Amino acid sequence: MIDIQYSAEVRAAKDAGKPIVALESTIITHGMPYPQNIEVAAQVEQDIRDAGAVPATMAVIKGKLHVGLEADQLQDLGKAQGVAKISRADMAACISSGGTGATTVAATMIAAHYAGIEVFATGGIGGVHQGAETSFDISADLHELAQTPVTVVAAGAKAILDLAKTLEVLETLGVPVIAHGQNEFPAFWSSKSPYAAPLRMDSADEIARAHATRRALGLPGGQLIANPIPAADQIPTEELAPIIASAQADADTHRITGKAVTPYLLQRIFEQTEGRSLVANIALVRNNARLAAGIARALAEQAE
Ligand code: PSU
Ligand code: MN
């Protein structure tokens, strides 16, 4: 076993059996610009506390797996330049070599499961990229959902991804995709999309029961909860479509590949919407944090 470095708050929550919600750190280092990244990370942690659960932001710092970050550690990570982006493939190497890295959805699920945490809130998951039929660019997040038993709350998938192909791969992998409170699979900036979600649930309690039932059946893998962005914070698809297309064209021109693709696209979209994408992003992450806290609480109550 490797040692986990718990934050004081998460340590106490574990000892007291309180509900805990995992948070990723790639969204901080590669998904949002400084200094808003630090403010948002702290705000999302507070949203989870206000909703009656305890936040556990994951990262690897100097070779130690951290489950929950102290305030100064969160600040340092958000300010640091050139932090590694850790997915399933990189996790062990980062720890064994004494490295520092931020965890993606896949790596956060691994860390959460290792620490006994079953619920995780983020913004958007990685998925099947547009043009994947030639690039083969499919996020390791999808395979992680198929094998690690953590319920992940996200706002659907960004239009930088091919939503139809992402849903097909999730179906193939046997991952339950559950829209919260609506029939459509939400599309990150927009609550609506042309795609129906395979499953729909309307309460945290129902989602927690489905999670516990998968556990009881001994099924590997987690659930993807697709929680729509609040109506007031949406950005019209027409507005974003040309920006995403141009970001994608730039990525091709500059031959961006591998794990650099998603951060590159997110950065270009942020620049070209003059920060509007970030405002929407913040609103949906906070919304997901609140739902995840409700699910974690329901799981704890159902276990009593
Ligand atoms: N999508 C977003 N924001 C993000 C990410 C994805 O809207 O911050 C991050 C997450 O950490 C996700 C990772 O797990 O990018 C996926 O990267 P890739 O596509 O390289 O698997
Ligand atoms: Mn990729």
Side-chain angles (χ1 to χ4, degrees):
M1 299 296 276
I2 63 145
D3 285 341
I4 295 177
Q5 183 73 53
Y6 287 102
S7 64
E9 186 185 19
V10 173
R11 174 85 268 164
K14 280 203 78 77
D15 291 345
K18 281 199 196 154
I20 303 174
V21 173
L23 294 167
E24 62 155 308
S25 46
T26 295
I27 190 174
I28 304 171
T29 55
H30 295 73
M32 292 186 183
Y34 176 81
Q36 291 100 325
N37 61 347
I38 296 176
E39 290 160 28
V40 176
Q43 179 65 63
V44 170
E45 289 200 346
Q46 192 54 44
D47 289 329
I48 289 173
R49 292 184 194 104
D50 293 346
V54 170
T57 303
M58 309 294 184
V60 176
I61 302 174
K62 296 191 181 123
K64 272 259 176 208
L65 175 60
H66 285 250
V67 173
L69 297 179
E70 305 299 344
D72 58 325
Q73 293 169 332
L74 194 71
Q75 290 261 341
D76 291 349
L77 194 70
K79 272 186 208 157
Q81 301 279 319
V83 176
K85 172 181 161 188
I86 310 178
S87 188
R88 161 170 280 257
D90 322 286
M91 186 96 168
C94 187
I95 293 170
S96 64
S97 65
T100 293
T103 53
T104 60
V105 168
T108 302
M109 289 178 75
I110 294 170
H113 181 52
Y114 193 64
I117 299 168
E118 296 180 278
V119 184
F120 163 24
T122 187
I125 59 156
V128 181
H129 279 260
Q130 292 191 28
E133 57 276 26
T134 51
S135 70
F136 278 45
D137 190 349
I138 301 176
S139 177
D141 291 351
L142 301 184
H143 289 269
E144 204 60 51
L145 280 160
Q147 52 187 312
T148 302
V150 173
T151 284
V152 180
V153 182
K158 277 203 174 114
I160 59 172
L161 302 175
D162 185 319
L163 263 57
K165 290 191 181 71
T166 300
L167 286 166
E168 289 292 349
V169 170
L170 286 165
E171 185 192 37
T172 302
L173 293 172
V175 176
V177 177
I178 302 166
H180 178 238
Q182 66 178 31
N183 295 326
E184 296 95 338
F185 182 70
F188 200 84
W189 314 115
S190 160
S191 64
K192 302 285 187 230
S193 80
Y195 310 103
L199 296 163
R200 167 185 177 155
M201 292 187 190
D202 292 347
S203 70
D205 208 53
E206 207 180 343
I207 295 166
R209 271 187 276 120
H211 177 102
T213 304
R214 283 183 66 84
R215 194 208 293 124
L217 283 168
L219 290 173
Q223 313 186 105
L224 176 62
I225 310 306
N227 190 31
I229 182 173
D233 301 303
Q234 298 183 86
I235 306 182
T237 309
E238 314 81 80
E239 198 174 311
L240 279 172
I243 291 172
I244 290 168
S246 104
Q248 223 127 31
D250 289 350
D252 291 341
T253 307
H254 293 100
R255 296 186 200 288
I256 311 290
T257 57
K259 61 170 66 186
V261 173
T262 297
Y264 181 89
L265 294 174
L266 297 182
Q267 172 65 24
R268 298 292 291 160
I269 293 166
F270 169 74
E271 288 163 7
Q272 301 212 1
T273 57
E274 289 163 344
R276 226 184 121 202
S277 64
L278 185 62
V279 176
N281 208 336
I282 294 168
L284 65 85
V285 180
R286 297 186 63 186
N287 191 44
N288 295 344
R290 288 186 287 263
L291 177 58
I295 298 167
R297 287 180 53 188
L299 266 179
E301 280 160 22
Q302 287 166 19
E304 278 168 10

